[in-house]
Amino acid sequence: MENQADRMLRANQKVTETAGISLKKRVRPGEFIIQGFLFFAGAFSILTTLGILYALGKEAMLFFSSPEVNLVEFFTGTRWQPQALQFGILPLAIATLITTLIAMLVAIPLGLFVAIYLSEFASPGLRNLLKPVLEVLAGIPTVVYGYFALTFMTPLLRSVFGRDVVDIYNTASAGLVMGILILPLITSMAEDALSAVPRSLREAAYSLGATRLETAIQVVMPAAISGLAAAFIIGISRAVGETMIVAIAAGAGPNLTLNPFKGAETMTGHIVRISGGDLSYDSIDYNSVFAIGLMLFFLTFTLNIISRAFVQRFREVYE
Amino acid sequence: MYRKLRFSFAVLMSLTLLLSACAGTETTVEPQASQPTQASEVEEEPEVLGDTGGLPDVDPASVSGNVLIAGSSTVYPLTERMVERFIEEGYSGQITVDSVGSGAGLERFCVAGETDIAAASRGIEEEEIANCANIGRTPIEFRVGTDALAIAVSTENDFLTGVTLEQLAQIFSSDAVLWSDVNPEWPTEDILRFSPGTDSGTYDYFVEAVMMPVYGEEGDAAESAILNSENIQFSEDDNVLVQGVQGSPYAIGYFGYAYYIENEGTLKALAVDDVVPNEESAESGDYPLARPLFLYSDAQIMQSKPQVADFLNFYLTYVNDEILSVGYFPASDAAIEEAKQAWLTNNQ
Amino acid sequence: MIRPQNTYDRESESRGLSPLFDENLPTRHKISTVWRFIFRLSTIIAVIFLALLLYNITNQAFGYVAIENRVDPASLAVNEIPIEEMEKDVLIALLRENISSGLMRQLEREKPLSEHTRDEVYALVIEKVVRPEAVRTWLLTESLFQRNEIRAQMAQEYPQAELTFKSWLSPQFLKVPQSSEALHAGIRTAILGSLWTVGITILVAFPLGVGAAIYLEEYAGNSWTNRVIQTNINNLAGVPSIIYGMLGLAIFVRSLETFTSGAALGFSDPTTANGRTILSAGLTLTLLVLPLIIINSQEAIRAVPGSLRQASYGVGATRWQTVWHHVLPSALPGILTGTILSISRAIGETAPLVVVGAATFIAFDPDSPFSKFTTLPIQIYQWTSRPQAEFRNLAAAAILALLVLLLSMNAIAILLRNRFHRQGGN
């Protein structure tokens, strides 16, 4: 006995037979090729990372395996002079540390405060005015900041602290300007984190009689802490990797000093100075620069992964 | 709303551009010829074509193709001037000049084979000649000028007008940290040292001419002395050194004379062994730190890229016209003749 | 801090207020006001930073210049007729006497001197013989507010010089290549180099980036490979730009030298071909910009509502057809905005290109991807490194040009996005 479904099926079959259409799935080679290309595009990024690891790693391995280089000395030695076969990374690492520290001292408090202001206190109109200002700050190329450091910040520091205290190339001026560079980055990430906290938490706090400040500091901030931590870590990573500001304003030549008013070269500044000259093929100088690059890569990669882990955590809590 | 802000920023910037377009009275724009006139004197230049000391006349406008030059930062301002003149007189091809240091320049020439001409502020070394041989190049030396290495301090420095060679070696060594360590009459302040980097021919020359006589030629005692000194900054970019020296009365640096001349208002060149560096003392050899400036090329390059030969020809012919205003000193006539002879021999 | 209150205050209760609130309310408000002030201050400081930056640059880009003639025009007078009043023939003779024969030959070749007007010849005499140079520059603020001091200083230190107000950023500045003479230097080669490099970057990075984004959003399941790819891209976005430069040096300039120098395709002579070309620079920037484009495009594609896709599948479209005809068009504004922002980041990059090898002196227009190059940020870097004050002014002018370029790009990106939003209405 035919039911309606069977009748419809028969009708369809008749229609398709008459029209000559096959309803079988058509093989489309074009789709295949395109899918292949898209997969390649996606996987290309893996190639990039592999490329970085290979390019840096190969030369760095050559460096570390050469007889003049001693791993302990590399990490603890206090002089970096490839010509004299001294390969202690401390002067460069400490200079990087000092500039990063100064940059964070500027960027973290200011960035956080601005983020709190924007997300908790500012009116929408003010927020729409201020966000583009911060975007502009973030979009300015770093070489411009380097110029600013050399032509404005250094003379300023010299007039405030005295010309004999502050050298013409110094890490303080580079660090301060780096802080200005990183400020918008921290602000935008921190603001995202603070805004992601649901209104319900704030409203609960208000209903208990808390002032706006108390809500912001004691309720919202702790709730967003992983996002804030992520922002700070990204800021640190950016400061470590920053090149042009230190190349222009911080000094040339590895110099082991804790005094921020003296010139010193950071890891990134050293790489730029040496490659601006030339990198002799397969000499120990060449390989040493790649060793520094590898250190830098691992450092920033690790910081970024930690930061991302934090962001994942805070996202999960509210979604 | 922030789109409006963005827009007004762009408008502001465009207004700035407009303001700039309206203001300013400027003369015409082409890169200019460099004339070796001094102050307000006008030198007659009855340059007769063919009066080039035996070298065939070259018309830059008929030269085409590219030329790649890299090397000493000392020689750089001189080469830059010659290139600009070459372009002004009609050359329409592509010349690039890189200021990377003598060592790096010779490496690009002899190891990588990337350049046509290497510029150096020191003579080529045995090892570099061997490297060149490995890639089938035989470097030909062309002496183009003389530099009087300037030992510079800031004009704010009030305790130095001259040093002896020995004091100079001490100043740049790890033996001294304060100025008073070298001479008790000098201030008890840190010596802030600025030196060209290890890739620089100027550095090599300094080690050889200043450090070795005091610290010996054995091993690398002389080099270690300077490399291990305190408060020293190295850079292959002489401009960085100039800025460093300008910044403090207790700073001292050394670089090509042209860099000192360009910044005469803020720098002071010290006399060495009581001889002040200038044209006479450099040419006569009285100034102890007078050193030659060279260009290197290879016969095969000159054959396969005639524009390189033409450029070198032009350089050798007119370098003495330009060299004084750049800030260096002419090589002796004999040396220039020799260079021209080398060119002729390799371009038969 | 809200402190727990254990005592019971009769008086407060009679006022109708709970004792908990009354105790430290004024203190709390005071603290709140103080901190609010601090937050506001921080914001103002951030805005001041930007203002200071722009002020510093603009200050150096315009101002008075003391221009001195290298050769005193008075000394060129013939028969006591000063050059301003000389006839054209006399000027031509003067020119011939004072410049090199090679230059004379070139000038005649460009346009015979007899065909020039008298004023043109006079201008040539000024430019080639008298040759003014800048000896001292002043800041904009000084030029506006300290005119008298400047004039006094001029009279004292540079009696021979002339004072003019100069805008270092001018149409001339944009059209002329670099030069060792500050008055004649410009950013032509740098701008062209930047445009060529970024052109290559867009050409390669856009399809690769958008392709990867499409793959990750539309095609990829949640397999382990795809998660690794995603994490990898996110992490690459945070790698310092100089690392990309070193990668570019090792791979494009060195390993792939035959390709990037053009030798493989016969574009450049084999004697001195090397990989420091625009192609290497463009490819290096591609690697740098790729993660950013991917992340931005992913967000744009993710924003397309699922209903659109379902509707498309519903009428029998294949996956690629859905993507191409429905998803991409509606994600396009977001993708374009993200791409333009990434490109403006690429234009501003300096460190990777210094490592890859931009030329120190280059005065010709690039004519192929295998040309040597310099870019605008690198020119700024080189000029900033020079100690003479005039080069600071040049650097400031170049920075203004760069900032205008970047701001316009950002403005275009935002306009595009708004326009498409209105049009598409998705």
Side-chain angles (χ1 to χ4, degrees):
Chain A
M1 165 88 134
E2 253 188 11
N3 64 13
Q4 187 160 37
D6 291 332
R7 244 179 290 146
M8 282 182 69
L9 194 60
R10 244 189 325 121
N12 276 339
Q13 277 173 335
K14 199 139 186 214
V15 168
T16 54
E17 270 164 28
T18 333
I21 308 168
S22 157
L23 284 178
K24 278 213 225 112
K25 184 172 181 186
R26 190 158 37 123
V27 170
R28 295 166 191 264
E31 284 270 325
F32 215 61
I33 297 176
I34 290 177
Q35 194 161 345
F37 167 73
L38 293 179
F39 177 71
F40 165 72
F44 187 76
S45 64
I46 303 267
L47 278 179
T48 311
T49 312
L50 288 178
I52 293 179
L53 286 174
Y54 173 71
L56 295 182
K58 180 177 101 163
E59 309 293 341
M61 278 308 119
L62 280 173
F63 172 74
F64 285 120
S65 60
S66 76
E68 296 101 339
V69 176
N70 171 335
L71 220 84
V72 175
E73 193 211 337
F74 183 73
F75 286 110
T76 59
T78 57
R79 289 211 85 92
W80 181 275
Q81 279 297 354
Q83 200 84 346
L85 297 177
Q86 292 171 315
F87 293 106
I89 205 173
L90 274 190
L92 302 175
I94 289 186
T96 309
L97 189 66
I98 294 181
T99 44
T100 307
L101 206 64
I102 296 178
M104 289 300 108
L105 279 175
V106 170
I108 290 187
L110 282 180
L112 187 59
F113 292 165
V114 177
I116 294 179
Y117 184 71
L118 281 181
S119 81
E120 303 296 315
F121 293 91
S123 62
L126 202 58
R127 201 175 306 156
N128 283 338
L129 190 66
L130 287 172
K131 291 204 88 159
V133 167
L134 289 172
E135 272 187 54
V136 172
L137 261 183
I140 294 179
T142 55
V143 68
V144 178
Y145 278 106
Y147 177 86
F148 181 64
L150 190 65
T151 57
F152 183 88
M153 193 58 82
T154 302
L156 183 68
L157 286 178
R158 296 189 101 194
S159 58
V160 167
F161 292 102
R163 295 191 79 215
D164 26 339
V165 174
V166 182
D167 286 351
I168 197 162
Y169 291 123
N170 59 78
T171 44
S173 142
L176 289 172
V177 172
M178 227 196 273
I180 302 178
L181 172 75
I182 297 177
L183 180 80
L185 183 68
I186 293 193
T187 301
S188 73
M189 281 191 75
E191 207 233 330
D192 283 344
L194 291 170
S195 311
V197 175
R199 274 198 70 78
S200 49
L201 265 93
R202 288 189 187 84
E203 312 221 313
Y206 293 148
S207 69
L208 287 176
T211 62
R212 239 181 179 172
L213 171 81
E214 285 154 357
T215 319
I217 301 214
Q218 292 172 52
V219 176
V220 181
M221 262 186 74
I225 197 77
S226 44
L228 294 179
F232 298 158
I233 296 178
I234 291 273
I236 294 179
S237 162
R238 189 87 164 74
V240 166
E242 177 46 47
T243 320
M244 289 324 289
I245 302 181
V246 290
I248 294 179
N255 190 16
L256 181 64
T257 173
L258 287 175
N259 181 350
F261 291 134
K262 293 211 161 296
E265 200 175 46
T266 65
M267 294 196 282
T268 46
H270 182 76
I271 297 177
V272 157
R273 176 171 74 89
I274 297 297
S275 31
D278 203 357
L279 293 177
S280 9
Y281 294 83
D282 298 326
S283 76
I284 200 148
D285 292 18
Y286 183 70
N287 304 335
S288 69
V289 170
F290 280 84
I292 301 178
L294 194 67
M295 292 297 115
L296 209 57
F297 178 69
F298 279 142
L299 190 56
T300 48
F301 208 74
T302 314
L303 286 174
N304 285 340
I305 290 188
I306 295 178
S307 158
R308 213 155 289 282
F310 273 115
V311 171
Q312 266 313 100
R313 239 204 74 201
F314 100 74
R315 265 212 196 125
E316 278 164 16
V317 174
Y318 294 117
E319 277 169 19
Chain B
M1 186 187 168
Y2 75 89
R3 172 157 80 101
K4 266 200 218 140
L5 194 77
R6 204 51 83 88
F7 201 71
S8 29
F9 258 121
V11 169
L12 197 75
M13 287 301 175
S14 329
L15 276 176
T16 318
L17 266 171
L18 258 135
L19 171 80
S20 60
C22 298
T25 55
E26 302 171 47
T27 49
T28 52
V29 114
E30 287 132 34
Q32 50 152 322
S34 324
Q35 257 322 76
T37 50
Q38 282 153 10
S40 46
E41 255 181 280
V42 174
E43 259 171 60
E44 296 289 299
E45 286 276 348
E47 228 168 278
V48 175
L49 289 175
D51 181 354
T52 49
L55 292 175
D57 179 48
V58 58
D59 177 9
S62 61
V63 181
S64 65
N66 70 357
V67 182
L68 298 165
I69 309 171
S72 166
S73 58
T74 308
V75 182
Y76 175 75
L78 182 61
T79 309
E80 195 186 16
R81 177 70 67 83
M82 298 310 295
V83 168
E84 285 179 343
R85 180 165 167 174
F86 200 54
I87 293 175
E88 197 185 20
E89 296 196 8
Y91 174 69
S92 56
Q94 306 180 338
I95 296 191
T96 49
V97 186
D98 280 328
S99 169
V100 291
S102 308
L106 282 166
E107 203 178 300
R108 284 196 196 180
F109 184 70
C110 285
V111 176
E114 283 177 1
T115 52
D116 301 317
I117 300 176
S121 57
R122 57 160 171 83
I124 192 171
E125 286 167 10
E126 288 302 319
E127 199 188 322
E128 288 160 340
I129 300 180
N131 286 335
C132 261
N134 284 343
I135 61 167
R137 291 187 174 192
T138 324
I140 307 169
E141 185 174 282
F142 298 101
R143 171 90 182 269
V144 290
T146 311
D147 171 35
L149 188 68
I151 311 295
V153 294
S154 155
T155 39
E156 294 171 8
N157 178 314
D158 55 5
F159 56 93
L160 282 181
T161 48
V163 287
T164 64
L165 267 180
E166 207 181 315
Q167 282 175 327
L168 190 57
Q170 280 183 308
I171 291 174
F172 273 96
S173 76
S174 44
D175 289 343
V177 177
L178 306 173
W179 282 103
S180 50
D181 290 343
V182 181
N183 182 339
E185 293 169 30
W186 291 344
T188 44
E189 294 281 348
D190 283 338
I191 307 177
L192 302 175
R193 302 171 239 248
F194 292 90
S195 159
T198 51
D199 244 345
S200 166
T202 312
Y203 168 83
D204 292 329
Y205 173 76
F206 190 81
V207 168
E208 198 187 311
V210 179
M211 304 305 287
M212 276 191 185
V214 175
Y215 291 93
E217 305 194 6
E218 293 304 312
D220 51 5
E223 240 191 299
S224 305
I226 184 173
L227 287 176
N228 289 325
S229 53
E230 298 280 323
N231 291 316
I232 187 163
Q233 298 213 17
F234 292 101
S235 176
E236 276 78 12
D237 185 352
D238 292 322
N239 292 309
V240 172
L241 302 176
V242 169
Q243 278 194 64
V245 174
Q246 281 172 338
S248 165
Y250 305 112
I252 184 169
Y254 62 92
F255 30 78
Y257 197 73
Y259 289 92
Y260 156 66
I261 283 289
E262 256 188 294
N263 297 288
E264 229 180 326
T266 48
L267 293 179
K268 196 162 69 171
L270 298 177
V272 178
D273 284 347
D274 290 326
V275 182
V276 175
N278 54 35
E279 192 176 346
E280 294 91 62
S281 60
E283 286 181 40
S284 65
D286 285 339
Y287 185 67
L289 298 176
R291 60 194 185 125
L293 301 174
F294 297 111
L295 290 181
Y296 290 94
S297 187
D298 164 75
Q300 239 173 332
I301 295 177
M302 291 200 284
Q303 308 283 20
S304 59
K305 289 176 91 172
Q307 64 268 28
V308 176
D310 287 335
F311 178 67
L312 282 169
N313 178 345
F314 184 84
Y315 204 118
L316 291 173
T317 312
Y318 298 110
V319 68
N320 281 350
D321 294 344
E322 308 288 346
I323 198 163
L324 285 169
S325 61
V326 171
Y328 295 123
F329 310 101
S332 64
D333 290 332
I336 297 274
E337 264 318 303
E338 203 182 312
K340 289 182 179 172
Q341 221 23 63
W343 190 94
L344 284 170
T345 326
N346 284 289
N347 274 289
Q348 295 310 15
Chain C
M1 274 296 270
I2 308 173
R3 288 172 304 162
Q5 187 64 277
N6 285 324
T7 60
Y8 191 74
D9 192 22
R10 271 197 179 298
E11 263 192 53
S12 307
E13 202 205 340
S14 61
R15 269 187 279 149
L17 283 170
S18 152
L20 271 166
F21 281 117
D22 193 38
E23 258 291 310
N24 46 14
L25 196 59
T27 331
R28 284 162 56 204
H29 276 310
K30 225 176 288 174
I31 299 179
S32 188
T33 326
V34 168
W35 274 102
R36 210 174 185 151
F37 173 70
I38 294 180
F39 295 151
R40 234 186 231 128
L41 189 63
S42 311
T43 319
I44 294 177
I45 292 179
V47 178
I48 288 181
F49 282 149
L50 179 64
L52 269 178
L53 189 65
L54 294 175
Y55 162 75
N56 182 42
I57 295 169
T58 328
N59 212 5
Q60 307 239 19
F62 307 96
Y64 275 126
V65 179
I67 299 186
E68 207 170 74
N69 295 317
R70 284 209 185 82
V71 171
D72 186 5
S75 64
L76 297 172
V78 169
N79 293 337
E80 296 186 5
I81 305 176
I83 55 173
E84 294 86 349
E85 298 172 20
M86 279 179 189
E87 296 286 317
K88 186 165 97 168
D89 302 325
V90 189
L91 283 173
I92 293 183
L94 189 67
L95 199 58
R96 188 162 310 198
E97 267 179 37
N98 286 295
I99 63 178
S100 71
S101 51
L103 183 55
M104 197 69 197
R105 180 173 51 194
Q106 180 60 19
L107 287 175
E108 286 282 341
R109 198 176 288 145
E110 283 173 5
K111 183 173 172 189
L113 286 175
S114 43
E115 287 178 27
H116 280 287
T117 67
R118 188 250 165 210
D119 286 335
E120 286 172 352
V121 181
Y122 180 68
L124 275 174
V125 169
I126 296 288
E127 186 195 330
K128 307 287 184 195
V129 183
V130 174
R131 284 181 305 128
E133 65 170 339
V135 287
R136 179 93 157 85
T137 60
W138 285 274
L139 300 174
L140 182 63
T141 45
E142 290 171 354
S143 311
L144 290 177
F145 303 120
Q146 295 176 352
R147 275 212 196 107
N148 294 326
E149 285 99 333
I150 293 180
R151 276 186 224 282
Q153 206 176 9
M154 275 283 292
Q156 200 176 28
E157 295 179 27
Y158 308 102
Q160 308 282 14
E162 197 188 302
L163 195 67
T164 42
F165 186 86
K166 185 172 163 71
S167 145
W168 292 91
L169 182 63
S170 66
Q172 220 65 294
F173 180 70
L174 298 173
K175 281 192 244 161
V176 175
Q178 82 178 102
S179 156
S180 53
E181 271 290 309
L183 284 179
H184 295 273
I187 50 176
R188 180 202 180 100
T189 321
I191 290 185
L192 287 174
S194 276
L195 291 177
W196 269 92
T197 317
V198 158
I200 293 186
T201 307
I202 299 180
L203 221 60
V204 182
F206 189 72
L208 270 181
V210 178
I214 294 175
Y215 174 76
L216 288 169
E217 289 298 313
E218 299 289 323
Y219 286 79
N222 210 8
S223 72
W224 179 83
T225 340
N226 296 321
R227 267 200 303 253
V228 165
I229 295 182
Q230 184 70 62
T231 328
N232 188 45
I233 292 176
N234 289 337
N235 286 322
L236 278 179
V239 168
S241 54
I242 196 167
I243 303 283
Y244 285 107
M246 294 170 79
L247 181 64
L249 176 73
I251 295 194
F252 298 124
V253 177
R254 297 263 159 95
S255 307
L256 293 181
E257 186 171 6
T258 42
F259 174 60
T260 51
S261 63
L265 301 167
F267 268 101
S268 55
D269 67 276
T271 16
T272 47
N274 67 57
R276 293 173 213 272
T277 56
I278 290 184
L279 188 59
S280 301
L283 291 176
T284 309
L285 287 182
T286 304
L287 292 180
L288 192 136
V289 144
L290 207 53
L292 300 173
I293 294 188
I294 295 179
I295 293 176
N296 275 318
S297 306
Q298 271 187 287
E299 283 185 25
I301 292 177
R302 213 176 291 153
V304 174
S307 50
L308 198 68
R309 292 187 186 84
Q310 299 302 332
S312 174
Y313 291 141
V315 297
T318 65
R319 193 175 285 195
W320 174 247
Q321 283 172 337
T322 312
V323 167
W324 184 253
H325 293 284
H326 298 284
V327 176
L328 271 188
S330 87
L332 201 61
I335 293 180
L336 280 180
T337 314
T339 310
I340 294 182
L341 291 176
S342 316
I343 296 299
S344 54
R345 163 94 191 265
I347 291 186
E349 280 296 335
T350 326
L353 298 184
V354 171
V355 175
V356 163
T360 319
F361 178 87
I362 173 173
F364 54 87
D365 299 344
D367 57 359
S368 80
F370 305 110
S371 282
K372 307 288 173 279
F373 67 99
T374 186
T375 60
L376 198 47
I378 291 185
Q379 186 72 87
I380 295 173
Y381 173 48
Q382 286 172 350
W383 277 340
T384 310
S385 308
R386 289 189 139 188
Q388 296 90 10
E390 307 90 69
F391 286 102
R392 294 287 160 82
N393 301 87
L394 284 173
I399 290 175
L400 276 183
L402 181 62
L403 288 180
V404 168
L405 182 63
L406 293 176
L407 268 173
S408 336
M409 289 192 71
N410 287 357
I412 293 177
I414 296 186
L415 278 170
L416 257 177
R417 182 171 62 195
N418 291 345
R419 190 153 165 268
F420 269 109
H421 268 167
R422 253 183 287 133
Q423 243 183 26
N426 280 314

